[in-house]
Amino acid sequence: MCAPPGRLHFDSRARATKVLFQQKCKPSLGGLHSIQIRCEHPLMKPEIKEVAQEKKKYTPKFAYPKLDGGQTSARVVAIGDLHGDMDQAIRSLKIANVVRQDAQRPEQVHWTGGNTHLVQLGDVLDRGDDEISILLLLQKLQTEAKEAGGAVHLLNGNHEVLNIAGDFRYVTQGAFVESEQFSDTLEERFGCSMSDGVPCDIMAPNHDPMLKYSLGYKQDVYDKRVGLYAPGGTVAQTLSRSHTVLVVNDTCFVHGGLRRRHIDFGLDKLNMRLSAWMRGEPKGDIPDIEEALFMAAGSSNSAVWCRTWSEEFITRQKRVIGCIELQAVLQGVSDEVGRPVTRMVMGHTVQRQGINQEYRGMAWRIDVGASRGVAGASPEVLEVVDGEVNILRAELPILLGRGFPERPDIEFPEANACSLIDHAHFLRSELPVRDPEATNPKA
């Protein structure tokens, strides 16, 4: 039983049963309970009872991305962060041997992977000019793969969450133009502007401290991007169909990483809550939404920001301690999906040595910084066939970038991150503002 702290004060005039103190607590098993202390007589000792509170049930009215992506005897390939670089995205897909490109029409890319399952680990957005183009390509490949008996699974990363929350500091000039053109195309075809229905306080200049660094963009260009990416917007609803966490066969995929707190919250529930938020569902209708947003993106240990399992060079002691926790996390994932899960595959943190594993093979890190907006490194792909892990590389490495970043330029705050819930209050107000003169943004 959970006993209330501090002193108890009793009404000495009490003649009938009266509730004198009530406190919510979390017992070791089950849901939340309410502690009630009652006194029948001023000289009697208080009686402490636990009264179970029914938690609000939530049944989504939409198809959200499930945790369990199923089991397949086909090979599974995973691609890391793409960050708006279409050329490197196509190179990655070719290395994975799942597409062919028309020689006469290079913009035509088609699925040739058969029953292969492709997993893209998020961060399609920011740092490059081809964000929506890559999203549309991946959607097209999803359809073609399904027809061929395969699948394309998409995840959301921290940069997808940042854009949906209204933080556009990493959007390139070309990506602003692309989103404006896409918005205009939708308006021509469907007759409504993407800035329609967006609260005016979101579009107000005083809510956009980075707008003065936006290379001379007009406010309506910014508003159109907000209309596309704000919760309920066209692109936001598309991203709502992507996973926060996914399990295929014996492998768990997540953009940043999972800790024990995520297991306790529930991974399928995390997918559901994030999807509902992105779709623009009324937050009052989504139970645990504040906790879900914090678990997914509200701290440096959240699912899309975590770097715990992605450090390249760690001490022996950290490896031993990490193996204990990671084994417990994978056991929790196994319990939720009902079959053994033996490894976690992550993006988010650039690996200078290329795709690699740590913690006795339980953690695989596959973000190699392929986008030219990050490092322009030669793309690499992770392949899992019958439980065996392989690393696929180009026969001739292609180096296009300016080298690897030293350190990430954002560390998400531990507190006040639940501003995600109210998209009139942008995340940028909670994050350190990057120097606009900086010329070397980091992954």
Side-chain angles (χ1 to χ4, degrees), residues 5-120:
R7 297 182 178 180
L8 304 179
H9 300 278
F10 305 105
D11 185 351
S12 60
R13 296 170 296 177
R15 297 300 178 193
T17 301
K18 184 176 181 180
V19 176
L20 302 174
F21 185 94
Q22 181 167 320
Q23 177 189 347
K24 288 183 178 180
C25 69
K26 186 175 182 181
S28 56
L29 297 173
L32 290 175
H33 281 61
S34 176
I35 301 299
Q36 291 186 352
I37 300 178
R38 298 177 179 270
C39 183
E40 297 286 352
H41 189 275
L43 299 180
M44 294 173 60
K45 292 183 179 180
E47 177 186 3
I48 301 179
K49 296 181 178 180
E50 280 194 36
V51 181
Q53 281 186 336
E54 290 188 7
K55 297 188 70 173
K56 182 179 179 181
K57 294 183 179 180
Y58 178 60
T59 303
K61 300 177 182 179
F62 55 90
Y64 69 93
K66 303 284 187 177
L67 169 66
D68 192 351
Q71 294 178 275
T72 176
S73 58
R75 69 190 191 110
V76 178
V77 292
I79 295 174
D81 305 25
L82 297 175
H83 281 301
D85 192 330
M86 176 64 87
D87 291 339
Q88 292 289 68
I90 293 176
R91 289 188 183 101
S92 299
L93 293 168
K94 286 181 175 179
I95 292 172
N97 196 26
V98 294
V99 299
R100 65 173 172 82
Q101 191 172 16
D102 193 321
Q104 303 300 321
R105 301 180 63 188
E107 71 278 6
Q108 292 294 322
V109 179
H110 298 283
W111 179 263
T112 59
N115 62 354
T116 299
H117 282 236
L118 168 68
V119 181
Q120 199 283 317

Side-chain angles (χ1 to χ4, degrees), residues 340-352:
V341 177
T342 59
R343 70 184 66 85
M344 186 186 301
V345 177
M346 297 151 284
H348 185 47
T349 303
V350 175
Q351 304 294 305
R352 294 167 177 80

